[in-house]
């Protein structure tokens, strides 16, 4: 399977704990995006990388959130001191710079108790 | 699995009929548009895209129409099948940005 992969697929945590999600983009895709989706809504942009560089961050990305893409391949999204409002589906997408089509992974469903 | 779009507009069609899903986009400067299909518990799946210099594009069983005058997109699905049942989102990318902005989704229900 050469699509975008995300791990874990589901995560249940207690309020105040830290969580980290991983995204592996389609091979050779140099752009990687993170989105968040809550029930009944479309995905909302969080941040994106071109290779290792983080080029844009949404205002939704509070200081408890941090994303990295250290080698320009996989990316991690960490949420510190989780809150119940962080419960959502976290989606990763990737694309090529010259072709804007973004392909999504299956998402990580986070539930904060 | 969980349900995507619990309170979304719903379009119900009979199997074999054609479906038309509409979307109003927000930015008149947007120059690239994509339709995604999202099944319950899964990530959005690319269906078809169109650039602002076009007003129509056809794929396999799907057609996207773009009306820039009224900032409107539509997705036409021919001979709708039960496997087409899902939530459909339109998304736009504006000039000078690379992030997708998603519209309100529409749930498509296909009845036998």
């Amino acid at each position: 399977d050469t699509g975008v992969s995300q791990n874990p697929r589901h995560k249940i945590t207690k309020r105040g704990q830290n969580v980290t999600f991983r995204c592996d983009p389609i091979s050779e895709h140099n752009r990687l995006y993170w989105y968040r989706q809550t029930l009944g809504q479309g995905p909302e942009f969080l941040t994106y990388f071109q290779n290792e560089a983080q080029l844009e961050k949404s205002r939704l990305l509070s200081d408890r959130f941090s994303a990295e893409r250290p080698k320009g391949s996989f990316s991690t999204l960490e949420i510190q001191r989780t809150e119940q409002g962080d419960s959502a589906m976290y989606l990763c997408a990737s694309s090529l710079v010259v072709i804007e089509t973004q392909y999504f992974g299956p998402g990580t469903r986070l539930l904060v108790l | 699995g969980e349900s995507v779009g619990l309170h979304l507009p719903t379009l119900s069609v009979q199997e074999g009929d054609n479906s038309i899903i509409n979307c109003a986009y927000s930015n008149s400067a947007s120059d690239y548009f994509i339709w995604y299909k999202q099944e319950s518990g899964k990530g959005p799946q690319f269906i078809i895209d169109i650039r602002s210099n076009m007003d129509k594009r056809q794929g396999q069983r799907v057609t996207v129409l773009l009306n820039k005058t009224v900032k409107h997109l539509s997705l036409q699905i021919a001979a709708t099948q039960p496997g087409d049942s899902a939530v459909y989102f339109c998304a736009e990318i504006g000039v000078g940005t690379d992030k997708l902005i998603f519209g309100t989704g529409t749930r498509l229900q296909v009845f036998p």
Side-chain angles (χ1 to χ4, degrees):
Chain A
D1 188 347
T2 58
V4 178
S5 61
Q6 293 187 246
N7 288 289
R9 293 293 311 279
H10 302 275
K11 178 71 176 179
I12 300 174
T13 191
K14 293 182 179 179
R15 189 174 52 188
Q17 298 295 303
N18 300 342
V19 295
T20 299
F21 309 141
R22 175 175 169 132
C23 171
D24 288 87
I26 293 171
S27 179
E28 300 181 353
H29 276 194
N30 42 18
R31 285 193 172 166
L32 186 151
Y33 306 78
W34 286 99
Y35 292 82
R36 181 171 69 184
Q37 185 177 28
T38 54
L39 285 176
Q41 304 294 322
E44 295 177 292
F45 171 80
L46 292 178
T47 188
Y48 91 96
F49 295 83
Q50 182 166 312
N51 302 315
E52 304 88 354
Q54 189 172 17
L55 296 188
E56 188 174 350
K57 292 194 293 185
S58 164
R59 287 172 293 177
L60 293 174
L61 214 64
S62 76
D63 56 5
R64 296 185 297 106
F65 288 69
S66 62
E68 295 183 341
R69 195 183 184 199
K71 298 182 180 179
S73 56
F74 73 91
S75 175
T76 58
L77 177 68
E78 181 183 17
I79 308 174
Q80 296 181 327
R81 305 181 302 281
T82 52
E83 302 172 356
Q84 289 184 324
D86 297 330
S87 296
M89 173 82 89
Y90 289 84
L91 293 161
C92 177
S94 70
S95 73
L96 289 168
V97 173
V98 294
I99 303 174
E100 294 165 281
T101 309
Q102 296 181 24
Y103 295 92
F104 283 83
T108 295
R109 167 64 67 183
L110 173 66
L111 178 60
V112 182
L113 301 176
Chain B
E2 79 253 343
S3 174
V4 172
L6 293 176
H7 303 291
L8 293 171
T10 298
L11 175 65
S12 297
V13 300
Q14 192 162 22
E15 182 178 357
D17 287 352
N18 297 334
S19 303
I20 300 176
I21 300 171
N22 296 303
C23 174
Y25 62 91
S26 59
N27 188 347
S28 58
S30 292
D31 63 356
Y32 182 58
F33 304 88
I34 306 176
W35 279 100
Y36 287 96
K37 171 187 179 183
Q38 189 171 27
E39 296 174 283
S40 185
K42 297 183 179 180
Q45 175 189 352
F46 172 84
I47 300 174
I48 192 169
D49 58 0
I50 189 168
R51 295 206 171 272
S52 59
N53 60 354
M54 304 172 69
D55 53 19
K56 180 179 179 179
R57 190 164 187 222
Q58 288 185 295
Q60 186 177 10
R61 280 203 308 120
V62 294
T63 301
V64 55
L65 299 178
L66 174 62
N67 185 331
K68 295 182 286 293
T69 302
V70 293
K71 296 192 292 185
H72 183 267
L73 270 174
S74 67
L75 176 70
Q76 300 177 358
I77 304 174
T80 314
Q81 301 169 0
D84 295 327
S85 295
V87 176
Y88 289 80
F89 291 98
C90 67
E92 61 188 290
I93 294 181
V95 175
T97 181
D98 298 292
K99 63 187 179 188
L100 287 168
I101 299 173
F102 283 80
T104 303
T106 297
R107 177 184 300 281
L108 176 64
Q109 293 181 330
V110 183
F111 293 96

